[in-house]
Amino acid sequence: MKKEFQLGALRHKKPLSLIDDNPSNDRDVDRFFLIMALMFNDIKGLVFFDNWLHEYREPQKEEISGHAGEWHGIKLQRIKLLAAILSEFLNVLEEYKNIINTDPINRYEQQLSRQDKSIWDLFLEVTKIHPTKLSDERIEVFKKMLIQIRANVTFHYYGAGKPLANGFRDHFYKKFVNQPAYYSAQGTNFYKTRYYYADAAIQSYLESCMTMAGEADKVLETITDLTVKASKVINGLMEQYLKEKLQV
């Protein structure tokens, strides 16, 4: 028997209380929370993605095998998507900054837990919606790194040729000289095919981007941590927002 997802009780709201049927009556706050709801769902999908990946054996360090290549390649895809979603989250905050310091969001954020409120304040400082003591230079470098990952190798492939080629050169001609460019294929079998050399190129490119903002491993931890924290804050704000919406 196949497993079923276990979720909370099924609830509902009147659609008209979330988004008006007339586009001219749209409210920025409703559009904002519709985006937040989608973003939460996408982050949750990546968590399931990661949980699924860890049902497979984690390769040993320096292991060269088809299994290791597939495992690490999928892990890289998750990293790309986390960085891209975090970049988009900051962009949305900046896009809707005109409503951030106004009612009802002020009321919603006051209902957040102390920990979530501090995280929310941090995001508002990073986007400069609130005054910050953080270094402007470090903030801009971090945001630039996220934008490069998002634009060059996550959502856009048409501009990825140059950065990927640079990553390829960095991997095969600097870091791992004389290493073959591996791939797996069995005819045109989808499940038995992977082009590991492309994963190697993207890994080197991601590492070069992250190094802009510090040590690559620590930057990766920061990206993961901030994305998870963003989902918590989104969930807390969504809870308050939906409390005010009409039942069917």
Side-chain angles (χ1 to χ4, degrees), residues 164-199:
L164 276 179
N166 288 337
F168 185 98
R169 280 187 284 270
D170 191 45
H171 181 92
F172 288 102
Y173 305 137
K174 295 179 182 178
K175 296 177 181 176
F176 300 96
V177 179
N178 297 324
Q179 183 186 78
Y182 290 105
Y183 71 100
S184 284
Q186 184 171 316
T188 57
N189 188 300
F190 178 81
Y191 292 101
K192 295 187 177 181
T193 299
R194 191 172 190 95
Y195 304 98
Y196 309 116
Y197 63 84
D199 292 328

PDB file of all heavy atoms in Angstrom, residues 164-199:
ATOM      1  N   LEU A 164      28.696  28.338 -16.860  1.00  0.00           N
ATOM      2  CA  LEU A 164      28.899  26.887 -16.783  1.00  0.00           C
ATOM      3  C   LEU A 164      30.241  26.478 -17.394  1.00  0.00           C
ATOM      4  O   LEU A 164      30.935  25.616 -16.861  1.00  0.00           O
ATOM      5  CB  LEU A 164      27.766  26.161 -17.494  1.00  0.00           C
ATOM      6  CG  LEU A 164      26.492  25.925 -16.690  1.00  0.00           C
ATOM      7  CD1 LEU A 164      25.447  25.212 -17.551  1.00  0.00           C
ATOM      8  CD2 LEU A 164      26.762  25.116 -15.428  1.00  0.00           C
ATOM      9  N   ALA A 165      30.595  27.105 -18.500  1.00  0.00           N
ATOM     10  CA  ALA A 165      31.884  26.803 -19.126  1.00  0.00           C
ATOM     11  C   ALA A 165      33.033  27.187 -18.201  1.00  0.00           C
ATOM     12  O   ALA A 165      34.032  26.458 -18.089  1.00  0.00           O
ATOM     13  CB  ALA A 165      32.006  27.533 -20.461  1.00  0.00           C
ATOM     14  N   ASN A 166      32.886  28.323 -17.508  1.00  0.00           N
ATOM     15  CA  ASN A 166      33.910  28.730 -16.545  1.00  0.00           C
ATOM     16  C   ASN A 166      33.992  27.736 -15.393  1.00  0.00           C
ATOM     17  O   ASN A 166      35.082  27.401 -14.920  1.00  0.00           O
ATOM     18  CB  ASN A 166      33.612  30.127 -16.009  1.00  0.00           C
ATOM     19  CG  ASN A 166      33.870  31.209 -17.042  1.00  0.00           C
ATOM     20  OD1 ASN A 166      34.648  31.004 -17.979  1.00  0.00           O
ATOM     21  ND2 ASN A 166      33.233  32.357 -16.888  1.00  0.00           N
ATOM     22  N   GLY A 167      32.829  27.254 -14.931  1.00  0.00           N
ATOM     23  CA  GLY A 167      32.815  26.243 -13.880  1.00  0.00           C
ATOM     24  C   GLY A 167      33.463  24.948 -14.335  1.00  0.00           C
ATOM     25  O   GLY A 167      34.191  24.300 -13.582  1.00  0.00           O
ATOM     26  N   PHE A 168      33.198  24.578 -15.575  1.00  0.00           N
ATOM     27  CA  PHE A 168      33.805  23.373 -16.164  1.00  0.00           C
ATOM     28  C   PHE A 168      35.321  23.503 -16.178  1.00  0.00           C
ATOM     29  O   PHE A 168      36.035  22.585 -15.762  1.00  0.00           O
ATOM     30  CB  PHE A 168      33.267  23.186 -17.581  1.00  0.00           C
ATOM     31  CG  PHE A 168      33.726  21.913 -18.256  1.00  0.00           C
ATOM     32  CD1 PHE A 168      32.917  20.798 -18.271  1.00  0.00           C
ATOM     33  CD2 PHE A 168      34.971  21.846 -18.876  1.00  0.00           C
ATOM     34  CE1 PHE A 168      33.327  19.622 -18.900  1.00  0.00           C
ATOM     35  CE2 PHE A 168      35.397  20.685 -19.500  1.00  0.00           C
ATOM     36  CZ  PHE A 168      34.567  19.571 -19.507  1.00  0.00           C
ATOM     37  N   ARG A 169      35.802  24.650 -16.670  1.00  0.00           N
ATOM     38  CA  ARG A 169      37.248  24.860 -16.722  1.00  0.00           C
ATOM     39  C   ARG A 169      37.864  24.833 -15.323  1.00  0.00           C
ATOM     40  O   ARG A 169      38.948  24.272 -15.118  1.00  0.00           O
ATOM     41  CB  ARG A 169      37.567  26.185 -17.415  1.00  0.00           C
ATOM     42  CG  ARG A 169      37.509  26.121 -18.939  1.00  0.00           C
ATOM     43  CD  ARG A 169      37.995  27.404 -19.574  1.00  0.00           C
ATOM     44  NE  ARG A 169      36.993  28.445 -19.458  1.00  0.00           N
ATOM     45  CZ  ARG A 169      36.035  28.657 -20.389  1.00  0.00           C
ATOM     46  NH1 ARG A 169      35.990  27.895 -21.471  1.00  0.00           N
ATOM     47  NH2 ARG A 169      35.144  29.613 -20.227  1.00  0.00           N
ATOM     48  N   ASP A 170      37.174  25.438 -14.368  1.00  0.00           N
ATOM     49  CA  ASP A 170      37.674  25.483 -13.000  1.00  0.00           C
ATOM     50  C   ASP A 170      37.798  24.076 -12.424  1.00  0.00           C
ATOM     51  O   ASP A 170      38.775  23.756 -11.733  1.00  0.00           O
ATOM     52  CB  ASP A 170      36.727  26.330 -12.134  1.00  0.00           C
ATOM     53  CG  ASP A 170      37.310  26.649 -10.776  1.00  0.00           C
ATOM     54  OD1 ASP A 170      38.495  27.022 -10.718  1.00  0.00           O
ATOM     55  OD2 ASP A 170      36.575  26.531  -9.768  1.00  0.00           O
ATOM     56  N   HIS A 171      36.819  23.229 -12.721  1.00  0.00           N
ATOM     57  CA  HIS A 171      36.835  21.869 -12.174  1.00  0.00           C
ATOM     58  C   HIS A 171      37.879  20.992 -12.857  1.00  0.00           C
ATOM     59  O   HIS A 171      38.712  20.366 -12.179  1.00  0.00           O
ATOM     60  CB  HIS A 171      35.448  21.228 -12.335  1.00  0.00           C
ATOM     61  CG  HIS A 171      35.373  19.836 -11.777  1.00  0.00           C
ATOM     62  ND1 HIS A 171      34.986  19.582 -10.485  1.00  0.00           N
ATOM     63  CD2 HIS A 171      35.649  18.612 -12.337  1.00  0.00           C
ATOM     64  CE1 HIS A 171      35.019  18.278 -10.264  1.00  0.00           C
ATOM     65  NE2 HIS A 171      35.406  17.669 -11.376  1.00  0.00           N
ATOM     66  N   PHE A 172      37.840  20.950 -14.194  1.00  0.00           N
ATOM     67  CA  PHE A 172      38.653  19.971 -14.910  1.00  0.00           C
ATOM     68  C   PHE A 172      40.074  20.439 -15.222  1.00  0.00           C
ATOM     69  O   PHE A 172      40.967  19.602 -15.430  1.00  0.00           O
ATOM     70  CB  PHE A 172      37.955  19.562 -16.207  1.00  0.00           C
ATOM     71  CG  PHE A 172      36.741  18.699 -15.976  1.00  0.00           C
ATOM     72  CD1 PHE A 172      35.461  19.238 -16.060  1.00  0.00           C
ATOM     73  CD2 PHE A 172      36.866  17.359 -15.649  1.00  0.00           C
ATOM     74  CE1 PHE A 172      34.337  18.454 -15.843  1.00  0.00           C
ATOM     75  CE2 PHE A 172      35.757  16.559 -15.434  1.00  0.00           C
ATOM     76  CZ  PHE A 172      34.477  17.110 -15.525  1.00  0.00           C
ATOM     77  N   TYR A 173      40.313  21.758 -15.270  1.00  0.00           N
ATOM     78  CA  TYR A 173      41.640  22.239 -15.651  1.00  0.00           C
ATOM     79  C   TYR A 173      42.400  22.892 -14.505  1.00  0.00           C
ATOM     80  O   TYR A 173      43.568  23.234 -14.654  1.00  0.00           O
ATOM     81  CB  TYR A 173      41.528  23.224 -16.816  1.00  0.00           C
ATOM     82  CG  TYR A 173      40.791  22.648 -18.012  1.00  0.00           C
ATOM     83  CD1 TYR A 173      39.858  23.407 -18.705  1.00  0.00           C
ATOM     84  CD2 TYR A 173      41.018  21.337 -18.436  1.00  0.00           C
ATOM     85  CE1 TYR A 173      39.165  22.875 -19.788  1.00  0.00           C
ATOM     86  CE2 TYR A 173      40.332  20.804 -19.515  1.00  0.00           C
ATOM     87  CZ  TYR A 173      39.414  21.579 -20.188  1.00  0.00           C
ATOM     88  OH  TYR A 173      38.728  21.048 -21.257  1.00  0.00           O
ATOM     89  N   LYS A 174      41.715  23.048 -13.333  1.00  0.00           N
ATOM     90  CA  LYS A 174      42.396  23.646 -12.184  1.00  0.00           C
ATOM     91  C   LYS A 174      42.343  22.743 -10.952  1.00  0.00           C
ATOM     92  O   LYS A 174      43.355  22.430 -10.357  1.00  0.00           O
ATOM     93  CB  LYS A 174      41.785  25.019 -11.861  1.00  0.00           C
ATOM     94  CG  LYS A 174      41.994  26.062 -12.945  1.00  0.00           C
ATOM     95  CD  LYS A 174      41.348  27.391 -12.551  1.00  0.00           C
ATOM     96  CE  LYS A 174      41.523  28.423 -13.657  1.00  0.00           C
ATOM     97  NZ  LYS A 174      40.858  29.719 -13.293  1.00  0.00           N
ATOM     98  N   LYS A 175      41.107  22.326 -10.570  1.00  0.00           N
ATOM     99  CA  LYS A 175      40.957  21.546  -9.335  1.00  0.00           C
ATOM    100  C   LYS A 175      41.277  20.068  -9.522  1.00  0.00           C
ATOM    101  O   LYS A 175      41.911  19.447  -8.676  1.00  0.00           O
ATOM    102  CB  LYS A 175      39.530  21.688  -8.804  1.00  0.00           C
ATOM    103  CG  LYS A 175      39.157  23.095  -8.374  1.00  0.00           C
ATOM    104  CD  LYS A 175      37.695  23.135  -7.925  1.00  0.00           C
ATOM    105  CE  LYS A 175      37.286  24.529  -7.520  1.00  0.00           C
ATOM    106  NZ  LYS A 175      35.843  24.600  -7.171  1.00  0.00           N
ATOM    107  N   PHE A 176      40.808  19.473 -10.613  1.00  0.00           N
ATOM    108  CA  PHE A 176      40.961  18.036 -10.826  1.00  0.00           C
ATOM    109  C   PHE A 176      41.556  17.779 -12.211  1.00  0.00           C
ATOM    110  O   PHE A 176      40.900  17.227 -13.096  1.00  0.00           O
ATOM    111  CB  PHE A 176      39.611  17.327 -10.677  1.00  0.00           C
ATOM    112  CG  PHE A 176      38.990  17.501  -9.323  1.00  0.00           C
ATOM    113  CD1 PHE A 176      38.042  18.499  -9.108  1.00  0.00           C
ATOM    114  CD2 PHE A 176      39.365  16.690  -8.262  1.00  0.00           C
ATOM    115  CE1 PHE A 176      37.472  18.667  -7.855  1.00  0.00           C
ATOM    116  CE2 PHE A 176      38.802  16.852  -7.011  1.00  0.00           C
ATOM    117  CZ  PHE A 176      37.853  17.846  -6.798  1.00  0.00           C
ATOM    118  N   VAL A 177      42.785  18.178 -12.361  1.00  0.00           N
ATOM    119  CA  VAL A 177      43.482  18.025 -13.639  1.00  0.00           C
ATOM    120  C   VAL A 177      43.601  16.541 -13.976  1.00  0.00           C
ATOM    121  O   VAL A 177      43.899  15.710 -13.110  1.00  0.00           O
ATOM    122  CB  VAL A 177      44.876  18.681 -13.571  1.00  0.00           C
ATOM    123  CG1 VAL A 177      45.609  18.501 -14.897  1.00  0.00           C
ATOM    124  CG2 VAL A 177      44.757  20.148 -13.205  1.00  0.00           C
ATOM    125  N   ASN A 178      43.307  16.217 -15.215  1.00  0.00           N
ATOM    126  CA  ASN A 178      43.377  14.840 -15.737  1.00  0.00           C
ATOM    127  C   ASN A 178      42.201  13.958 -15.323  1.00  0.00           C
ATOM    128  O   ASN A 178      42.189  12.765 -15.643  1.00  0.00           O
ATOM    129  CB  ASN A 178      44.697  14.151 -15.341  1.00  0.00           C
ATOM    130  CG  ASN A 178      45.914  14.845 -15.926  1.00  0.00           C
ATOM    131  OD1 ASN A 178      45.863  15.356 -17.049  1.00  0.00           O
ATOM    132  ND2 ASN A 178      46.989  14.887 -15.161  1.00  0.00           N
ATOM    133  N   GLN A 179      41.225  14.511 -14.609  1.00  0.00           N
ATOM    134  CA  GLN A 179      40.032  13.713 -14.286  1.00  0.00           C
ATOM    135  C   GLN A 179      39.159  13.618 -15.541  1.00  0.00           C
ATOM    136  O   GLN A 179      38.918  14.618 -16.207  1.00  0.00           O
ATOM    137  CB  GLN A 179      39.232  14.351 -13.151  1.00  0.00           C
ATOM    138  CG  GLN A 179      38.019  13.516 -12.742  1.00  0.00           C
ATOM    139  CD  GLN A 179      37.140  14.227 -11.723  1.00  0.00           C
ATOM    140  OE1 GLN A 179      36.365  15.102 -12.078  1.00  0.00           O
ATOM    141  NE2 GLN A 179      37.277  13.849 -10.463  1.00  0.00           N
ATOM    142  N   PRO A 180      38.659  12.430 -15.865  1.00  0.00           N
ATOM    143  CA  PRO A 180      37.781  12.302 -17.038  1.00  0.00           C
ATOM    144  C   PRO A 180      36.454  13.032 -16.816  1.00  0.00           C
ATOM    145  O   PRO A 180      36.046  13.278 -15.682  1.00  0.00           O
ATOM    146  CB  PRO A 180      37.548  10.786 -17.145  1.00  0.00           C
ATOM    147  CG  PRO A 180      38.611  10.158 -16.318  1.00  0.00           C
ATOM    148  CD  PRO A 180      38.930  11.124 -15.226  1.00  0.00           C
ATOM    149  N   ALA A 181      35.784  13.355 -17.883  1.00  0.00           N
ATOM    150  CA  ALA A 181      34.439  13.927 -17.817  1.00  0.00           C
ATOM    151  C   ALA A 181      33.450  12.766 -17.857  1.00  0.00           C
ATOM    152  O   ALA A 181      33.146  12.228 -18.917  1.00  0.00           O
ATOM    153  CB  ALA A 181      34.201  14.897 -18.973  1.00  0.00           C
ATOM    154  N   TYR A 182      32.948  12.387 -16.699  1.00  0.00           N
ATOM    155  CA  TYR A 182      32.110  11.192 -16.585  1.00  0.00           C
ATOM    156  C   TYR A 182      30.667  11.436 -17.012  1.00  0.00           C
ATOM    157  O   TYR A 182      30.141  12.544 -16.886  1.00  0.00           O
ATOM    158  CB  TYR A 182      32.090  10.697 -15.137  1.00  0.00           C
ATOM    159  CG  TYR A 182      33.384  10.097 -14.641  1.00  0.00           C
ATOM    160  CD1 TYR A 182      34.208  10.806 -13.763  1.00  0.00           C
ATOM    161  CD2 TYR A 182      33.769   8.820 -15.030  1.00  0.00           C
ATOM    162  CE1 TYR A 182      35.382  10.257 -13.282  1.00  0.00           C
ATOM    163  CE2 TYR A 182      34.950   8.259 -14.554  1.00  0.00           C
ATOM    164  CZ  TYR A 182      35.759   8.985 -13.686  1.00  0.00           C
ATOM    165  OH  TYR A 182      36.923   8.437 -13.220  1.00  0.00           O
ATOM    166  N   TYR A 183      30.029  10.393 -17.465  1.00  0.00           N
ATOM    167  CA  TYR A 183      28.579  10.367 -17.631  1.00  0.00           C
ATOM    168  C   TYR A 183      28.132   8.917 -17.661  1.00  0.00           C
ATOM    169  O   TYR A 183      28.935   8.004 -17.826  1.00  0.00           O
ATOM    170  CB  TYR A 183      28.124  11.114 -18.884  1.00  0.00           C
ATOM    171  CG  TYR A 183      28.437  10.446 -20.194  1.00  0.00           C
ATOM    172  CD1 TYR A 183      27.470   9.722 -20.881  1.00  0.00           C
ATOM    173  CD2 TYR A 183      29.708  10.568 -20.766  1.00  0.00           C
ATOM    174  CE1 TYR A 183      27.757   9.123 -22.104  1.00  0.00           C
ATOM    175  CE2 TYR A 183      30.001   9.967 -21.972  1.00  0.00           C
ATOM    176  CZ  TYR A 183      29.022   9.248 -22.639  1.00  0.00           C
ATOM    177  OH  TYR A 183      29.320   8.647 -23.846  1.00  0.00           O
ATOM    178  N   SER A 184      26.846   8.679 -17.416  1.00  0.00           N
ATOM    179  CA  SER A 184      26.272   7.329 -17.498  1.00  0.00           C
ATOM    180  C   SER A 184      25.186   7.330 -18.554  1.00  0.00           C
ATOM    181  O   SER A 184      24.422   8.290 -18.672  1.00  0.00           O
ATOM    182  CB  SER A 184      25.651   6.910 -16.156  1.00  0.00           C
ATOM    183  OG  SER A 184      26.654   6.561 -15.225  1.00  0.00           O
ATOM    184  N   ALA A 185      25.097   6.255 -19.310  1.00  0.00           N
ATOM    185  CA  ALA A 185      24.043   6.146 -20.319  1.00  0.00           C
ATOM    186  C   ALA A 185      23.840   4.680 -20.675  1.00  0.00           C
ATOM    187  O   ALA A 185      24.794   3.901 -20.705  1.00  0.00           O
ATOM    188  CB  ALA A 185      24.398   6.948 -21.561  1.00  0.00           C
ATOM    189  N   GLN A 186      22.605   4.326 -20.892  1.00  0.00           N
ATOM    190  CA  GLN A 186      22.274   3.008 -21.432  1.00  0.00           C
ATOM    191  C   GLN A 186      21.261   3.232 -22.531  1.00  0.00           C
ATOM    192  O   GLN A 186      20.061   3.272 -22.299  1.00  0.00           O
ATOM    193  CB  GLN A 186      21.715   2.087 -20.341  1.00  0.00           C
ATOM    194  CG  GLN A 186      21.441   0.675 -20.849  1.00  0.00           C
ATOM    195  CD  GLN A 186      21.099  -0.269 -19.715  1.00  0.00           C
ATOM    196  OE1 GLN A 186      21.742  -0.260 -18.684  1.00  0.00           O
ATOM    197  NE2 GLN A 186      20.065  -1.071 -19.906  1.00  0.00           N
ATOM    198  N   GLY A 187      21.782   3.444 -23.709  1.00  0.00           N
ATOM    199  CA  GLY A 187      20.917   3.835 -24.818  1.00  0.00           C
ATOM    200  C   GLY A 187      20.263   5.166 -24.482  1.00  0.00           C
ATOM    201  O   GLY A 187      20.923   6.112 -24.071  1.00  0.00           O
ATOM    202  N   THR A 188      18.961   5.223 -24.653  1.00  0.00           N
ATOM    203  CA  THR A 188      18.227   6.451 -24.327  1.00  0.00           C
ATOM    204  C   THR A 188      17.397   6.275 -23.050  1.00  0.00           C
ATOM    205  O   THR A 188      16.419   6.990 -22.831  1.00  0.00           O
ATOM    206  CB  THR A 188      17.301   6.847 -25.491  1.00  0.00           C
ATOM    207  OG1 THR A 188      16.417   5.754 -25.766  1.00  0.00           O
ATOM    208  CG2 THR A 188      18.098   7.181 -26.733  1.00  0.00           C
ATOM    209  N   ASN A 189      17.800   5.313 -22.199  1.00  0.00           N
ATOM    210  CA  ASN A 189      17.067   5.048 -20.958  1.00  0.00           C
ATOM    211  C   ASN A 189      17.178   6.246 -20.017  1.00  0.00           C
ATOM    212  O   ASN A 189      18.275   6.619 -19.578  1.00  0.00           O
ATOM    213  CB  ASN A 189      17.624   3.792 -20.275  1.00  0.00           C
ATOM    214  CG  ASN A 189      16.785   3.365 -19.086  1.00  0.00           C
ATOM    215  OD1 ASN A 189      16.627   4.117 -18.137  1.00  0.00           O
ATOM    216  ND2 ASN A 189      16.271   2.141 -19.128  1.00  0.00           N
ATOM    217  N   PHE A 190      16.056   6.858 -19.711  1.00  0.00           N
ATOM    218  CA  PHE A 190      16.002   8.078 -18.892  1.00  0.00           C
ATOM    219  C   PHE A 190      16.621   7.855 -17.513  1.00  0.00           C
ATOM    220  O   PHE A 190      17.436   8.661 -17.037  1.00  0.00           O
ATOM    221  CB  PHE A 190      14.550   8.535 -18.757  1.00  0.00           C
ATOM    222  CG  PHE A 190      14.336   9.751 -17.898  1.00  0.00           C
ATOM    223  CD1 PHE A 190      14.539  11.020 -18.399  1.00  0.00           C
ATOM    224  CD2 PHE A 190      13.917   9.613 -16.582  1.00  0.00           C
ATOM    225  CE1 PHE A 190      14.339  12.135 -17.611  1.00  0.00           C
ATOM    226  CE2 PHE A 190      13.715  10.720 -15.785  1.00  0.00           C
ATOM    227  CZ  PHE A 190      13.921  11.991 -16.299  1.00  0.00           C
ATOM    228  N   TYR A 191      16.243   6.794 -16.834  1.00  0.00           N
ATOM    229  CA  TYR A 191      16.644   6.573 -15.449  1.00  0.00           C
ATOM    230  C   TYR A 191      18.090   6.114 -15.307  1.00  0.00           C
ATOM    231  O   TYR A 191      18.659   6.187 -14.224  1.00  0.00           O
ATOM    232  CB  TYR A 191      15.706   5.570 -14.767  1.00  0.00           C
ATOM    233  CG  TYR A 191      14.319   6.127 -14.590  1.00  0.00           C
ATOM    234  CD1 TYR A 191      13.282   5.767 -15.446  1.00  0.00           C
ATOM    235  CD2 TYR A 191      14.048   7.049 -13.585  1.00  0.00           C
ATOM    236  CE1 TYR A 191      12.011   6.292 -15.299  1.00  0.00           C
ATOM    237  CE2 TYR A 191      12.783   7.589 -13.425  1.00  0.00           C
ATOM    238  CZ  TYR A 191      11.766   7.205 -14.284  1.00  0.00           C
ATOM    239  OH  TYR A 191      10.520   7.747 -14.134  1.00  0.00           O
ATOM    240  N   LYS A 192      18.686   5.653 -16.384  1.00  0.00           N
ATOM    241  CA  LYS A 192      20.059   5.169 -16.301  1.00  0.00           C
ATOM    242  C   LYS A 192      21.051   6.131 -16.951  1.00  0.00           C
ATOM    243  O   LYS A 192      22.186   5.758 -17.261  1.00  0.00           O
ATOM    244  CB  LYS A 192      20.160   3.777 -16.935  1.00  0.00           C
ATOM    245  CG  LYS A 192      19.369   2.737 -16.163  1.00  0.00           C
ATOM    246  CD  LYS A 192      19.600   1.333 -16.665  1.00  0.00           C
ATOM    247  CE  LYS A 192      18.842   0.330 -15.795  1.00  0.00           C
ATOM    248  NZ  LYS A 192      19.058  -1.077 -16.232  1.00  0.00           N
ATOM    249  N   THR A 193      20.609   7.361 -17.128  1.00  0.00           N
ATOM    250  CA  THR A 193      21.458   8.362 -17.776  1.00  0.00           C
ATOM    251  C   THR A 193      21.672   9.555 -16.856  1.00  0.00           C
ATOM    252  O   THR A 193      20.744  10.012 -16.178  1.00  0.00           O
ATOM    253  CB  THR A 193      20.816   8.850 -19.086  1.00  0.00           C
ATOM    254  OG1 THR A 193      20.673   7.740 -19.978  1.00  0.00           O
ATOM    255  CG2 THR A 193      21.654   9.933 -19.742  1.00  0.00           C
ATOM    256  N   ARG A 194      22.904  10.047 -16.773  1.00  0.00           N
ATOM    257  CA  ARG A 194      23.214  11.318 -16.108  1.00  0.00           C
ATOM    258  C   ARG A 194      24.550  11.817 -16.648  1.00  0.00           C
ATOM    259  O   ARG A 194      25.469  11.037 -16.887  1.00  0.00           O
ATOM    260  CB  ARG A 194      23.279  11.197 -14.591  1.00  0.00           C
ATOM    261  CG  ARG A 194      23.336  12.583 -13.941  1.00  0.00           C
ATOM    262  CD  ARG A 194      23.214  12.558 -12.428  1.00  0.00           C
ATOM    263  NE  ARG A 194      23.038  13.912 -11.934  1.00  0.00           N
ATOM    264  CZ  ARG A 194      21.872  14.483 -11.670  1.00  0.00           C
ATOM    265  NH1 ARG A 194      20.752  13.797 -11.804  1.00  0.00           N
ATOM    266  NH2 ARG A 194      21.795  15.720 -11.247  1.00  0.00           N
ATOM    267  N   TYR A 195      24.643  13.148 -16.808  1.00  0.00           N
ATOM    268  CA  TYR A 195      25.859  13.759 -17.333  1.00  0.00           C
ATOM    269  C   TYR A 195      26.595  14.415 -16.170  1.00  0.00           C
ATOM    270  O   TYR A 195      26.398  15.588 -15.854  1.00  0.00           O
ATOM    271  CB  TYR A 195      25.494  14.759 -18.447  1.00  0.00           C
ATOM    272  CG  TYR A 195      24.688  14.085 -19.538  1.00  0.00           C
ATOM    273  CD1 TYR A 195      23.299  14.181 -19.562  1.00  0.00           C
ATOM    274  CD2 TYR A 195      25.322  13.304 -20.497  1.00  0.00           C
ATOM    275  CE1 TYR A 195      22.560  13.528 -20.533  1.00  0.00           C
ATOM    276  CE2 TYR A 195      24.589  12.644 -21.477  1.00  0.00           C
ATOM    277  CZ  TYR A 195      23.210  12.756 -21.491  1.00  0.00           C
ATOM    278  OH  TYR A 195      22.474  12.092 -22.452  1.00  0.00           O
ATOM    279  N   TYR A 196      27.459  13.632 -15.518  1.00  0.00           N
ATOM    280  CA  TYR A 196      28.101  14.084 -14.288  1.00  0.00           C
ATOM    281  C   TYR A 196      29.005  15.290 -14.512  1.00  0.00           C
ATOM    282  O   TYR A 196      29.193  16.109 -13.612  1.00  0.00           O
ATOM    283  CB  TYR A 196      28.909  12.940 -13.669  1.00  0.00           C
ATOM    284  CG  TYR A 196      28.131  11.655 -13.515  1.00  0.00           C
ATOM    285  CD1 TYR A 196      28.503  10.509 -14.226  1.00  0.00           C
ATOM    286  CD2 TYR A 196      27.029  11.576 -12.675  1.00  0.00           C
ATOM    287  CE1 TYR A 196      27.785   9.331 -14.096  1.00  0.00           C
ATOM    288  CE2 TYR A 196      26.303  10.395 -12.542  1.00  0.00           C
ATOM    289  CZ  TYR A 196      26.689   9.279 -13.259  1.00  0.00           C
ATOM    290  OH  TYR A 196      25.985   8.115 -13.138  1.00  0.00           O
ATOM    291  N   TYR A 197      29.574  15.401 -15.689  1.00  0.00           N
ATOM    292  CA  TYR A 197      30.482  16.524 -15.942  1.00  0.00           C
ATOM    293  C   TYR A 197      29.752  17.867 -15.888  1.00  0.00           C
ATOM    294  O   TYR A 197      30.342  18.892 -15.537  1.00  0.00           O
ATOM    295  CB  TYR A 197      31.230  16.350 -17.269  1.00  0.00           C
ATOM    296  CG  TYR A 197      30.364  16.320 -18.509  1.00  0.00           C
ATOM    297  CD1 TYR A 197      29.960  17.497 -19.126  1.00  0.00           C
ATOM    298  CD2 TYR A 197      29.992  15.104 -19.080  1.00  0.00           C
ATOM    299  CE1 TYR A 197      29.181  17.463 -20.279  1.00  0.00           C
ATOM    300  CE2 TYR A 197      29.218  15.065 -20.221  1.00  0.00           C
ATOM    301  CZ  TYR A 197      28.812  16.240 -20.815  1.00  0.00           C
ATOM    302  OH  TYR A 197      28.031  16.215 -21.946  1.00  0.00           O
ATOM    303  N   ALA A 198      28.443  17.857 -16.205  1.00  0.00           N
ATOM    304  CA  ALA A 198      27.661  19.088 -16.077  1.00  0.00           C
ATOM    305  C   ALA A 198      27.450  19.432 -14.603  1.00  0.00           C
ATOM    306  O   ALA A 198      27.473  20.607 -14.210  1.00  0.00           O
ATOM    307  CB  ALA A 198      26.317  18.939 -16.788  1.00  0.00           C
ATOM    308  N   ASP A 199      27.232  18.397 -13.770  1.00  0.00           N
ATOM    309  CA  ASP A 199      27.122  18.621 -12.332  1.00  0.00           C
ATOM    310  C   ASP A 199      28.432  19.175 -11.774  1.00  0.00           C
ATOM    311  O   ASP A 199      28.430  20.044 -10.891  1.00  0.00           O
ATOM    312  CB  ASP A 199      26.779  17.318 -11.607  1.00  0.00           C
ATOM    313  CG  ASP A 199      25.371  16.831 -11.920  1.00  0.00           C
ATOM    314  OD1 ASP A 199      24.491  17.684 -12.155  1.00  0.00           O
ATOM    315  OD2 ASP A 199      25.166  15.603 -11.920  1.00  0.00           O
TER     316      ASP A 199
END
